[in-house]
Amino acid sequence: RQSSVVVCCRREGSETMAVEAADDEEKVASEQVVFWKNASLMYDACFSRKLEWPSLTVEWLPGTTRTEPLTEGWKRHQLVIGTHTDRTKENELLLVAVDLPSAETEIDARGEDFGLDTSVADATLSMAHPGGESNRVRHCPQEPTLLASKCANGLVYVFDIEKAAAAAAAKGGDAPGG
């Protein structure tokens, strides 16, 4: 099963959203045709990326960084996405980088790059989610590197992004969080 995350931004209301596609392939295909047909009228920029597993939750992390080697005027944002697997693979929280143009950057919403799979990067960090799928993940406003994730069974798990990243670097790959 594949899903995709679509990130759209509109400068007027400074609205940025992340949308998850549904599982029903026919319905998704029909809705995507309508969406992409009208998206350039509603948003300044849209980017998409196919995901291996659908997600029940998406959380924007605060703050941005200047991206390298991308063009000047773009900022890197971070999303946390919780996977919803078929239980043949362990569920995870994925830290994903998203490159979006800053408000001053001129972009062509009618151009051929609109909606292409270019701005949403692969997961920069994967943290094992031991309680099954994550129904909701939120960052701590006072300490944005701390995440709380609620499972279907009602348990809440706390993850520290910095510790998970350090453990992943020490192992030379992705590390379980928690």
Side-chain angles (χ1 to χ4, degrees), residues 34-140:
V34 172
F35 174 79
W36 288 116
K37 193 176 196 180
N38 297 308
S40 65
L41 302 173
M42 298 183 295
Y43 300 102
D44 291 327
C46 280
F47 308 97
S48 68
R49 170 70 72 169
K50 290 205 182 289
L51 301 173
E52 183 180 358
W53 298 102
S55 177
L56 301 176
T57 185
V58 176
E59 172 76 347
W60 288 93
L61 295 180
T64 62
T65 59
R66 188 168 168 269
T67 59
E68 295 293 338
L70 290 178
T71 317
E72 182 71 28
W74 288 65
K75 299 278 186 174
R76 177 156 287 162
H77 301 261
Q78 291 186 316
L79 290 171
V80 177
I81 298 173
T83 63
H84 179 60
T85 67
D86 62 0
R87 296 194 176 122
T88 59
K89 186 176 179 198
E90 188 172 26
N91 286 287
E92 301 170 311
L93 291 181
L94 304 174
L95 187 64
V96 180
V98 179
D99 298 324
L100 296 175
S102 61
E104 305 82 35
T105 305
E106 288 294 322
I107 53 173
D108 182 10
R110 308 257 186 248
E112 60 188 48
D113 291 343
F114 189 83
L116 288 184
D117 191 10
T118 55
S119 178
V120 182
D122 291 328
T124 57
L125 181 65
S126 172
M127 298 174 282
H129 197 271
E133 77 271 2
S134 173
N135 287 333
R136 178 170 287 192
V137 64
R138 296 293 179 256
H139 72 276
C140 174

Side-chain angles (χ1 to χ4, degrees), residues 8-45:
C8 299
C9 60
R10 180 175 55 203
R11 292 190 190 122
E12 292 171 4
S14 64
E15 172 186 325
T16 305
M17 64 176 210
V19 180
E20 279 298 318
D23 289 333
D24 182 12
E25 289 182 31
E26 263 183 47
K27 184 179 177 186
V28 169
S30 167
E31 289 176 358
Q32 282 181 344
V33 168
V34 172
F35 174 79
W36 288 116
K37 193 176 196 180
N38 297 308
S40 65
L41 302 173
M42 298 183 295
Y43 300 102
D44 291 327

Side-chain angles (χ1 to χ4, degrees), residues 133-154:
E133 77 271 2
S134 173
N135 287 333
R136 178 170 287 192
V137 64
R138 296 293 179 256
H139 72 276
C140 174
Q142 294 82 12
E143 188 63 48
T145 62
L146 294 180
L147 303 173
S149 176
K150 185 176 181 189
C151 302
N153 61 12

